[in-house]
Amino acid sequence: MKTTLFLLGASDNEAQSPSTRERVRGGVQVTTDFAGVLPILPYVMSDPTMSAKSHTVMVGVHEIELARNAQVNLFNLVGDADSSAAMLHNIEAIAGRIKPARLFNPPRHVFRTSRSRLPQTLADIPGCIVPRVEAANPGNYAELRTVCREFGAWPMIVRARGFHGGEHMVLLAEEAQLGSLEGQAWPYGGIFLIQYIDARNEQGLNHKIRVVMVDGVPYVRHCIYSDQWAVHTSGRSILMDRDRSLCRREEQFLASFRDRGLGEYAAVFREIYQRIGLDVFGIDFALVDGQILIFEANACMSFVGARYGSDDRYQYLDGYVRDVRRALKKLLVKA
């Protein structure tokens, strides 16, 4: 494994990033929750083989000093094209100066995963559905109503730019519900309007499958069931923690999808990988009428951690975490 510099960067919007120059100047703690980044550092730094050759750099705070003709790899951890465009351009410039032996997750490819650009990036892939998305910048409530009317697809999701985990995101069934946003500040800091496609099954449940792409190979990670329209990992506590039958359902689905589904949809995942072009990223989707309905695909997702509660009901996920960890380690060590 060559010496690898892992490049972190704060969001362009200071309000979206918990990091400050004062907090990171003396050294980056690998457990720090930086917004919009690929959160793999805790695993990398906990492995003796990888940590011995790995160094964390906070771009704009830490200086990069290399010996003459040093051969290093760079790993760009900034994964949010919508909130960190300036930082991504900065990292691209750093890579141009250093000329690394290998640049993981090139910033220019991260831009292909922007929420508004993703429908174009993944357009017309057989077996793959990507909802329509448009970016908007309303300055007041009247402009918000106008952009939603022009988008013209009800129901729609209104989501703040640069936020993750369901923060500042609502589903509006009809125009009359826009009034709930009038007194809030977040819709006027940049939003996305997203076509909503109903993915509920015959039991009325939603689901979200996560597949992780590592060096072009897909690894299934989880399948979360929820009675909420927006499905998040934290949402396990809402339904699955109370209904062990859904845990068994997830366990059975993951085994089946690993053994057969990844092969059945191999052409779709291969095309997604080729079009996005990142070394490590995640794909969140649902299966609707045998097709992959994309929710998002980017390098901001968590998949190497394994914290799911105090008991052992989710122990079946451990093997899938190990698969991804092994793939990530192999990618880094062989480079």
Side-chain angles (χ1 to χ4, degrees):
M1 177 179 175
K2 290 186 178 67
T3 296
T4 302
L5 307 183
F6 289 85
L7 306 183
L8 284 166
S11 167
D12 299 342
N13 184 341
E14 191 66 29
Q16 293 172 357
S17 177
S19 64
T20 65
R21 286 178 178 269
E22 288 70 25
R23 284 177 59 185
V24 301
R25 191 178 300 278
V28 177
Q29 296 297 317
V30 298
T31 56
T32 300
D33 181 22
F34 292 100
V37 303
L38 186 68
I40 61 173
L41 275 179
Y43 166 60
V44 171
M45 294 305 186
S46 68
D47 182 280
T49 301
M50 292 186 288
S51 63
K53 293 283 189 176
S54 301
H55 303 278
T56 306
V57 175
M58 184 69 180
V59 176
V61 178
H62 300 147
E63 297 293 333
I64 300 177
E65 298 181 359
L66 299 173
R68 185 178 180 85
N69 298 322
Q71 283 288 297
V72 300
N73 293 328
L74 297 182
F75 200 124
N76 165 46
L77 295 177
V78 178
D80 191 334
D82 300 306
S83 67
S84 300
M87 181 58 65
L88 287 167
H89 286 303
N90 194 353
I91 292 173
E92 190 75 34
I94 290 171
R97 292 195 301 270
I98 292 178
K99 295 179 174 53
R102 180 164 179 177
L103 173 60
F104 294 100
N105 278 14
R108 64 185 180 280
H109 293 175
V110 173
F111 286 108
R112 300 173 183 174
T113 68
S114 164
R115 292 191 190 276
S116 58
R117 185 173 169 182
L118 192 65
Q120 289 73 48
T121 301
L122 304 183
D124 302 319
I125 299 177
C128 183
I129 304 169
V130 188
R132 178 178 156 219
V133 181
E134 290 184 10
N137 293 281
N140 52 53
Y141 180 62
E143 292 178 3
L144 176 63
R145 286 192 303 173
T146 297
V147 297
C148 289
R149 286 172 179 168
E150 291 176 348
F151 187 70
W154 301 93
M156 72 174 69
I157 299 167
V158 179
R159 180 169 193 159
R161 187 178 304 161
F163 287 88
H164 301 272
E167 187 178 6
H168 300 326
M169 181 173 72
V170 297
L171 173 63
L172 303 177
E174 56 187 13
E175 185 176 343
Q177 294 181 342
L178 269 172
S180 64
L181 299 180
E182 184 173 7
Q184 300 191 44
W186 66 261
Y188 313 112
I191 58 174
F192 295 108
L193 308 179
I194 306 171
Q195 175 191 10
Y196 174 73
I197 298 176
D198 193 341
R200 287 175 294 181
N201 62 16
E202 60 275 9
Q203 287 81 40
L205 294 179
N206 291 286
H207 68 285
K208 184 178 73 174
I209 306 162
R210 177 165 294 176
V211 161
V212 182
M213 301 297 299
V214 181
D215 205 18
V217 179
Y219 298 87
V220 65
R221 178 60 179 81
H222 65 224
C223 178
I224 302 172
Y225 295 97
S226 176
D227 56 4
Q228 309 293 309
W229 70 268
V231 186
H232 303 289
T233 302
S234 60
R236 287 182 183 274
S237 61
I238 298 174
L239 187 63
M240 294 185 71
D241 283 2
R242 295 185 285 107
D243 188 346
R244 282 184 177 266
S245 70
L246 293 177
C247 299
R248 302 289 74 77
R249 184 172 180 170
E250 180 184 29
E251 182 177 11
Q252 293 165 8
F253 173 84
L254 292 177
S256 173
F257 202 78
R258 177 193 58 202
D259 297 340
R260 293 186 293 277
L262 290 176
E264 180 182 349
Y265 295 98
V268 176
F269 292 124
R270 182 166 55 250
E271 187 65 20
I272 291 174
Y273 167 71
Q274 290 174 349
R275 293 194 187 189
I276 289 179
L278 293 174
D279 301 281
V280 183
F281 66 99
I283 307 167
D284 280 352
F285 63 94
L287 291 177
V288 179
D289 296 328
Q291 298 192 84
I292 288 178
L293 170 62
I294 300 288
F295 297 139
E296 58 183 302
N298 57 55
C300 299
M301 298 181 190
S302 176
F303 41 75
V304 294
R307 293 176 293 174
Y308 299 104
S310 58
D311 59 27
D312 62 353
R313 75 182 61 206
Y314 298 113
Q315 192 172 13
Y316 57 87
L317 293 172
D318 292 348
Y320 300 98
V321 175
R322 286 194 295 269
D323 288 345
V324 177
R325 287 182 170 185
R326 280 194 291 262
L328 180 61
K329 183 173 180 177
K330 179 181 177 182
L331 172 69
L332 292 170
V333 170
K334 75 176 185 180

